[in-house]
Amino acid sequence: MSNNKKRVAWITGGGSGIGLAGAEALAAEGWTVVISGRRKDVLDEAVASIVKSGGKVEAMALDVSSAADAEKVAKEIVAKHGRIDLLVNSAGVNVPKRSWDDITTEGWDKLVDINLSGVMYCMRAVLPAMRAQKDGVIINVASWAGRHVSKMTGPAYTTTKHAVLALTHSFNMDEFKNGLRACCLSPGEVATPILKLRPVPPSKEDMAKMLQPEDLGRTIAFVASMPPHACINEILISPTHNRSFVNPTLL
């Protein structure tokens, strides 16, 4: 990325899953990492684990569905650290009632608020700092379902992840002139706690064959390490044993 010795990353959904794996990988490479999420206990546990490994990390509570909260946290990071070099939008949810037969308007609104609006709010919140630096990377964690429509993930999740892909490319079209770039990271099945919310949770044997959080952590660190003249617009990554190839309704 930049030539500055201090590199500051902000990760939403950083207390668990892909976000935590990204925080661990970046901290191991010397980044100063700020993780955000709604649950203080989860964030505190993540911070303690990374600090124990020698990383520089802190937590700032955040509800990404609040534009005001996103602006507040971004300003606090800049006030304390002077910059934001990387934003990883990893906060995301799905709901058990997700098919056309049983999805509710409340469930739809929740997914749109967090999976889509939350991404945009945080992207907009870091823009002033990144534009001033003429440098910055954003990684938006979408999904295999953002490229391949699936019955299993449901209409709300699939729609929001497709929209995140479009949002990412739109950002690159406008912000390249300011030296900024964004990557849409779209993983297939990853063995994270969110899978427990599926109507039929996968078995331990199936989860062992999936992508693991650390695989995505390494990918995030790779994108973040690329030089300013290189924009990785999109990454589509899946397990070698891709269950959607066996049964397309699984993803």
Side-chain angles (χ1 to χ4, degrees):
M1 282 192 57
S2 68
N3 292 323
N4 294 280
K5 292 183 179 180
K6 184 174 184 179
R7 298 175 296 173
V8 180
W10 177 27
I11 304 179
T12 70
S16 63
I18 295 172
L20 175 57
E24 291 170 337
L26 291 167
E29 294 191 359
W31 286 71
T32 297
V33 181
V34 179
I35 58 173
S36 289
R38 290 174 293 175
R39 296 175 294 171
K40 184 179 183 300
D41 59 330
V42 173
L43 293 176
D44 289 345
E45 185 177 342
V47 167
S49 175
I50 294 174
V51 168
K52 187 176 181 180
S53 299
K56 294 179 288 186
V57 63
E58 61 192 74
M60 293 187 183
L62 170 69
D63 176 0
V64 296
S65 66
S66 167
D69 280 2
E71 295 281 351
K72 179 175 180 289
V73 172
K75 288 178 180 177
E76 288 178 353
I77 295 172
V78 173
K80 182 171 183 179
H81 298 288
R83 59 190 302 110
I84 300 177
D85 298 286
L86 171 67
L87 166 66
V88 180
N89 276 310
S90 186
V93 296
N94 206 343
V95 291
K97 294 182 177 181
R98 59 182 65 170
S99 71
W100 277 104
D101 287 336
D102 56 15
I103 191 169
T104 64
T105 54
E106 291 80 10
W108 173 273
D109 290 344
K110 178 179 181 180
L111 265 64
V112 171
D113 288 346
I114 295 173
N115 293 0
L116 179 55
S117 295
V119 172
M120 188 275 239
Y121 294 156
C122 292
M123 292 175 75
R124 187 177 62 178
V126 301
L127 269 179
M130 289 187 174
R131 283 172 174 165
Q133 296 162 189
K134 292 292 183 181
D135 187 21
V137 176
I138 294 175
I139 301 174
N140 293 326
V141 179
S143 169
W144 185 270
R147 266 296 182 190
H148 303 282
V149 177
S150 164
K151 289 181 63 177
M152 201 287 297
T153 51
Y157 187 88
T158 301
T159 299
T160 57
K161 295 303 184 179
H162 271 71
V164 168
L165 176 63
L167 188 68
T168 305
H169 286 303
S170 175
F171 179 89
N172 285 334
M173 292 173 71
D174 280 359
E175 292 300 323
F176 77 92
K177 62 184 179 291
N178 292 314
L180 312 185
R181 54 258 184 232
C183 174
C184 187
L185 175 56
S186 299
E189 290 185 299
V190 185
T192 63
I194 195 173
L195 299 190
K196 296 177 182 178
L197 294 177
R198 287 183 173 177
V200 181
S203 67
K204 289 184 179 179
E205 291 75 17
D206 282 335
M207 290 185 71
K209 297 177 183 178
M210 295 177 184
L211 292 170
Q212 301 302 305
E214 56 266 29
D215 300 326
L216 278 300
R218 291 175 62 192
T219 306
I220 288 169
F222 162 70
V223 174
S225 70
M226 291 297 287
H229 65 266
C231 177
I232 301 177
N233 296 270
E234 184 180 350
I235 294 178
L236 184 66
I237 180 173
S238 72
T240 302
H241 183 80
N242 191 330
R243 297 198 301 160
S244 71
F245 297 159
V246 179
N247 183 351
T249 65
L250 286 172
L251 286 178

